[in-house]
């Protein structure tokens, strides 16, 4: 049998730097755990635009459809700010999500104990936090038609459309309930059913899926604005949150900051199972390309490394190895090896991106 395949799209800004550390980790699992991958590399975002004039070449898109999992770094940067909307770096990422039909975006927000003091909230509010946001990723106002900037009555009007079909809501609700079964068994669904018809339908369908197939799960509904407030007030009340594309974009950034640093948060974007039973999958850190620190060896590779841990868990059914990698990152933090984003102002010399990666490798060695 051939090895499972990985396509690495390191992208822009700090993407290549943090991905270089992931490559070390991938090699470690090959050398020490017999987990070998066929790894290929390609371009996305501004890097793809520079080479091909588009943020994702058709050949790259086709290759992404064939591999077992895509690992993505980050896209975008000020150099590309003035590009036409249709070729902006972000469009490359949105194309991957849409064409691979990656409808379930898993964004865990976990507060590592060693980092609880970095949160803008009090330690007792965030210590031990472990929530999972499931964001719908292929529909809603990101993709709904009509969209565009049009002329109307002598002025311009900008239009985006919030649109959800029953089947789109149904499948992401199932993804959330399935996850909750492996966690604390609670799902909170967030929408704006008080003002939006798409929210009314969302609530109805989530409830119907629950009643038909997931009665063992505790389901609650919340308006998304209240959800944002509750995430800051008392985040530990949540287990799994399921919400639409735009609300999920906002709420996952809020949840991210609870944990202290955006540099810690991984994500998985999953679609339907492929022929080999593995889901279509793309893994990426929640942080962006951070152009202000790119190329300086300052970036925290943890989110990208933890995204690979999610790949081990969700694509390759290697939950124990994912646990091993997550524990290694946690140990490094507890030992006080920190990149600049995780230093107190008087905290001494920060670790570089590669020192952080090497420390994770050392912790993996120690785990054997
Ligand atoms: C995210 C990002 C993206 C989004 C951008 C880069 C297109 O903010 O993954 O949360 O809006 O979905
Ligand atoms: Mg976002």
């Amino acid at each position: 049998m051939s090895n499972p395949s990985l396509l690495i799209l390191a992208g822009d800004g700090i993407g290549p730097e943090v991905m270089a550390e992931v490559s070390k980790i991938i090699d470690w699992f090959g050398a020490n755990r017999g987990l070998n991958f066929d790894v290929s590399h390609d371009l996305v975002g501004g890097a793809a635009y520079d080479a091909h004039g588009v943020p994702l070449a058709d050949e790259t898109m086709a290759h992404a459809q064939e591999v077992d999992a895509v690992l993505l770094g980050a896209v975008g940067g000020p150099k590309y700010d003035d590009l036409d909307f249709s070729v902006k770096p972000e469009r490359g990422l949105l194309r991957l999500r849409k064409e691979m039909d990656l409808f379930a975006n898993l964004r865990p927000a976990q507060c590592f104990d060693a980092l609880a003091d970095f949160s803008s909230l009090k330690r007792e509010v965030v210590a031990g936090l472990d929530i999972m946001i499931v964001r719908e990723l292929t529909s809603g106002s990101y993709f709904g038609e009509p969209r565009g900037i049009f002329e109307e009555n002598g002025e311009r009007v900008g239009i985006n459309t919030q649109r959800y079909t029953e089947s789109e809501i149904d499948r992401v609700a199932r993804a959330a309930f399935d996850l909750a079964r492996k966690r604390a068994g609670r799902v909170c669904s967030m929408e704006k059913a008080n003002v939006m018809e798409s929210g009314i339908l969302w609530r109805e369908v989530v409830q119907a899926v629950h009643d038909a197939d997931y009665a063992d799960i505790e389901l609650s509904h919340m308006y998304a604005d209240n959800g944002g407030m509750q995430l800051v007030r008392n985040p530990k009340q949540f287990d799994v949150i399921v919400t639409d594309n735009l609300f999920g974009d906002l709420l996952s950034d809020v949840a991210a900051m609870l944990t202290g640093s955006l540099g810690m948060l991984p994500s998985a974007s999953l679609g339907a199972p492929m022929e080999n039973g593995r889901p279509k999958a793309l893994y990426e850190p929640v942080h962006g390309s951070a152009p202000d620190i790119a190329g300086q060896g300052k970036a925290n590779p943890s989110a990208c490394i933890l995204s690979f841990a999610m790949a081990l868990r969700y694509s390759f059914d290697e939950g124990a190895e994912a646990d091993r990698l997550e524990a290694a990152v946690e140990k490094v933090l507890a030992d006080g090896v920190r990149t600049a984003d995780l230093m107190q102002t008087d905290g001494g010399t920060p670790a570089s991106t590669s020192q952080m990666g090497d420390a994770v490798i050392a912790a993996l060695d120690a785990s054997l």
Side-chain angles (χ1 to χ4, degrees), residues 4-10 23 37-43 63-64 67 69-71:
S5 52
L6 292 174
L7 171 61
I8 293 186
L9 302 174
S23 292
F37 296 94
D38 288 337
V39 182
S40 51
H41 295 260
D42 211 335
L43 303 172
H63 191 193
V67 293
V70 177
L71 305 182

Side-chain angles (χ1 to χ4, degrees), residues 341-362:
D341 55 312
L342 302 177
M343 301 289 291
Q344 310 282 15
T345 35
D346 57 351
T349 320
S352 68
T353 308
S354 67
Q355 284 168 339
M356 186 86 184
D358 292 343
V360 174
I361 296 278

Side-chain angles (χ1 to χ4, degrees), residues 124-340:
E124 61 268 26
V125 177
V126 295
L129 179 74
D130 179 6
I131 61 184
M132 176 72 86
I133 296 190
V134 180
R135 167 189 177 193
E136 200 292 326
L137 203 59
T138 52
S139 185
S141 53
Y142 271 54
F143 297 99
E145 300 279 347
R147 66 182 297 167
I149 299 176
F150 304 97
E151 282 284 323
E152 207 177 276
N153 304 324
E155 63 173 347
R156 291 184 306 158
V157 49
I159 298 181
N160 292 91
T161 301
Q162 169 77 333
R163 179 179 194 279
Y164 271 103
T165 64
E166 289 181 290
S167 55
E168 286 169 341
I169 303 167
D170 182 289
R171 64 184 185 172
V172 74
R174 285 179 195 281
F177 289 130
D178 285 338
L179 276 166
R181 270 199 183 135
K182 296 182 191 154
R183 298 173 46 99
R186 288 180 291 120
V187 171
C188 181
S189 170
M190 295 186 186
E191 28 55 19
K192 286 284 288 178
N194 49 346
V195 286
M196 297 167 81
E197 285 79 1
S198 59
I200 295 175
L201 185 69
W202 182 281
R203 188 176 282 223
E204 272 178 30
V205 173
V206 172
Q207 187 67 51
V209 170
H210 170 268
D211 296 349
D213 293 324
Y214 296 92
D216 53 311
I217 303 293
E218 188 185 316
L219 171 65
S220 58
H221 302 275
M222 208 178 258
Y223 298 139
D225 54 342
N226 183 29
M229 193 259 278
Q230 294 297 336
L231 268 173
V232 177
R233 191 184 73 86
N234 176 20
K236 284 190 250 176
Q237 70 186 283
F238 298 112
D239 177 26
V240 175
I241 292 171
V242 63
T243 190
D244 78 15
N245 203 343
L246 182 58
F247 295 140
D249 184 42
L250 305 179
L251 294 170
S252 63
D253 266 23
V254 174
M257 220 37 226
L258 300 175
T259 70
S261 170
L262 216 46
M264 295 305 304
L265 291 171
S267 78
S269 303
L270 307 177
M274 300 184 283
E275 257 171 44
N276 61 13
R278 296 189 175 114
K280 276 264 160 80
L282 179 146
Y283 299 87
E284 59 176 318
V286 170
H287 64 67
S289 59
D292 52 320
I293 58 163
Q296 300 171 37
K298 287 184 182 168
N300 183 352
S302 300
C304 206
I305 292 172
L306 292 170
S307 297
F308 177 63
M310 291 188 88
L312 290 173
R313 178 171 290 118
Y314 294 108
S315 282
F316 305 112
D317 216 13
E318 296 283 354
E321 299 303 331
D323 289 345
R324 178 194 298 278
L325 180 51
E326 287 163 357
V329 172
E330 184 158 16
K331 175 167 189 306
V332 167
L333 295 171
D335 289 349
V337 182
R338 308 267 172 99
T339 42

